[in-house]
């Protein structure tokens, strides 16, 4: 009965959203002789999105309801074919109880559909299996102590959720700066316990990865002077060393007094049945004298949904687009092109993390492009904000030229670690991506820029049973799929030596 009520409420919300969008656009048409669409490239937004519905500026500068300017690149990626893939994924979910979650019949049937399409198109398809993490647990509580003091769990320190079950006893070393770069650990003695202050410059996961690479036996990350309290954290990576968090005062105590510190983590990791990644590749053109088969251009998406919905926007929209780009790729390309359909993204990106930890070719991947939710009903057009010089080059050579050519507004978004680009980014691979919004609330500024309704989320059906085919906005899906197709074709045929040279340079 509660589910039926929720369905009625979502239908009312959907109808209300449609009415408000149409009304908003009608007012704009009546009150404005021409609409000027601005290209915003310098403003950072949180991970969310908005909607542009029915209004735009055509190539002749006149206001129109549905604009179809010429394509910037010659490709055969069509909205009709993408919609066909979306309908197939919806049918798969319908026949499997309404979900395509990892480990379900719906997911297995989704992977079978993708594999069959790619195999028929002549791709070499690898089915990569792995154990997905269903969650992390622990038996309270971990310990942290010196010879003179036993620190209080829950008041002065925590072990991070998903920290490995392990112990460490070693001298502490305070890592100056923020512990985000290898240079920060240049004088660090392997085997010591790293003491690092929480930073806004990089994620906690990045600090852990860098400390682990420097040979730390464990790491304690303490809060800064603006956020002094103890904080909890769930690791997004498979750390090999115990990871603890501490309050600012405990951190200062550890910094000022180098000591033999004893740490004991009681976390445990629970695994579920084997999961699947689909990896498909075509070689570069061996008959092309400028071909470089060493470099790889990679694009991917997650194929799974959450447990309680079919996931047609999240992330059927990205999956259908990547699949169609793969099917329409020309035979002759300068570089190798590789497409990935990740499993278990909704279980903390376990498929893409597994791939990155096992890959022997990360140094050859010039770029990884990610598509996750590109058909949101109350959308913004957004590209992932660059965090390296190489990623800035990706933005300047792909997203910006495309949206300028279409007179379409676009803004950067700080998506942080919320999708499958993140494991690649942590490993130093330049990444980029497109996004139309999820659970972020649309602002008045964004509604002015893109249209749509301020004050509600960009996808009211995010992670819900109503994320069906009808939830997908086909206008923004076509716009972002065109942008993605152009980006892949551009990157797979350009030199890309500048990306390789700048992959570790700061933005």
């Amino acid at each position: 009965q509660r589910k039926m009520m929720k369905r009625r409420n979502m239908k009312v919300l959907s109808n209300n959203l449609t009415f408000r969008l149409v009304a908003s656009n009608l007012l704009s048409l009546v009150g404005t002789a021409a609409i000027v669409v601005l290209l915003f490239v310098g403003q950072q937004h949180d991970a969310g999105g908005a909607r542009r519905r029915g209004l735009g500026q055509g190539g002749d500068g006149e206001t129109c309801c549905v604009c179809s300017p010429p394509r910037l690149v010659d490709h055969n990626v069509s909205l009709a074919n993408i919609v066909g893939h979306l309908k197939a994924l919806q049918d798969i979910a319908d026949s499997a109880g309404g979900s395509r979650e990892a480990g379900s019949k719906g997911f297995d049937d989704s992977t079978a559909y993708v594999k069959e399409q790619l195999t028929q198109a002549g791709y070499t398809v690898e089915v990569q299996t792995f154990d997905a993490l269903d969650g992390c647990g622990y038996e309270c509580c971990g310990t942290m102590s010196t010879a003179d003091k036993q620190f209080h769990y829950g008041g002065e320190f925590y072990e991070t959720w998903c920290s490995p079950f392990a112990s460490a006893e070693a001298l502490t070393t305070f890592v100056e700066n923020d512990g985000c770069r290898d240079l920060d650990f240049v004088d660090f003695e392997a085997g010591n316990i790293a003491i690092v202050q929480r930073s806004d410059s990089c994620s906690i996961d990045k600090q852990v990865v860098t400390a682990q690479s420097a040979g730390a036996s464990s790491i304690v990350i303490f809060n800064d002077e603006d956020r002094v309290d103890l904080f909890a954290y769930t690791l997004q990576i498979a750390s090999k060393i115990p990871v603890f968090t501490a309050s600012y005062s405990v951190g200062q105590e550890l910094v000022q007094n180098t000591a033999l510190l004893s740490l004991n983590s009681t976390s445990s990791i629970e695994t579920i049945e084997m999961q699947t990644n689909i990896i498909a590749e075509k070689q570069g053109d061996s008959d092309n004298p400028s071909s470089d088969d060493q470099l790889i251009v990679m694009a991917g998406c997650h194929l799974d949904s959450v447990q309680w919905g079919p996931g047609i926007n999240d992330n059927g929209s990205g999956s259908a687009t990547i699949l169609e780009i793969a099917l329409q790729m020309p035979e002759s390309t300068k570089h190798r092109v590789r497409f990935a359909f990740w499993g278990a993204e909704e279980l903390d990106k376990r498929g893409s993390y597994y791939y990155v930890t096992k890959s022997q070719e990360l140094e050859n991947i010039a770029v990884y492009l990610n598509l996750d939710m590109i058909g949101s009903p109350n959308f913004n057009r957004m590209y992932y904000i660059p965090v390296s010089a190489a990623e800035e080059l990706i933005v300047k050579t792909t997203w910006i030229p495309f949206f300028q050519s279409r007179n379409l507004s676009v803004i950067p978004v700080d998506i942080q670690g919320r999708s499958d680009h993140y494991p690649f980014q942590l490993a130093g691979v330049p990444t980029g991506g497109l996004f139309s919004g999820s659970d972020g609330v649309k602002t008045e500024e964004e509604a002015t820029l893109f249209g749509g309704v301020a004050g509600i989320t960009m996808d009211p059906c995010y992670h819900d049973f109503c994320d069906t085919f009808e939830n997908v906005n086909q206008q923004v899906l076509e716009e972002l799929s065109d942008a993605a197709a152009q980006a892949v074709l551009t990157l797979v045929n350009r030199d890309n030596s500048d990306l390789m040279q700048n992959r570790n340079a700061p933005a």
Side-chain angles (χ1 to χ4, degrees), residues 297-334:
V297 171
M298 192 168 181
C301 54
H302 75 87
L303 188 56
D304 62 318
S305 73
V306 293
Q307 178 181 2
W308 43 87
I312 303 304
N313 185 34
D314 183 17
N315 182 38
S317 61
S319 300
T321 298
I322 291 292
L323 177 58
E324 188 58 23
I325 291 173
L327 296 180
Q328 300 300 334
M329 280 297 296
E331 292 296 328
S332 177
T333 59
K334 179 178 178 62

Side-chain angles (χ1 to χ4, degrees), residues 23 43 64 112 136 213 236 243 297 358:
Q43 184 176 1
C64 60
C136 302
S213 299
Q236 302 297 305
V243 182
V297 171
K358 296 298 182 181

Side-chain angles (χ1 to χ4, degrees), residues 204-222:
I204 288 174
D205 299 279
K206 177 65 173 176
Q207 291 174 310
V208 173
V209 168
T210 308
Q212 186 173 282
S213 299
S217 60
S218 184
I219 182 172
V220 178
I221 302 167
F222 65 93

Side-chain angles (χ1 to χ4, degrees), residues 101-103 107 128-136 269-277 304 343-354:
E101 67 168 321
F107 179 74
Q128 189 179 58
T129 58
F130 59 95
D131 287 332
L133 299 184
D134 191 29
C136 302
I269 298 176
E270 303 165 2
T271 60
I272 59 174
E273 64 271 17
M274 299 293 282
Q275 297 301 301
T276 303
N277 292 328
D304 62 318
E345 188 271 352
E346 299 291 0
L347 300 176
D348 283 337
K349 303 168 287 297
R350 297 306 172 184
S352 52
Y353 271 121
Y354 179 82

Side-chain angles (χ1 to χ4, degrees), residues 34 39 78 89 100 145 221 363 377 428 482 484:
L39 179 68
S78 70
L89 293 176
R100 298 184 304 105
S145 63
I221 302 167
E363 292 300 320
D482 272 357

Side-chain angles (χ1 to χ4, degrees), residues 31 43 47 238 242 256 299 328 381 416 459 504:
Q43 184 176 1
Q256 295 167 10
Q328 300 300 334
R381 297 181 203 90
Q416 301 176 342
D459 186 353
N504 295 317

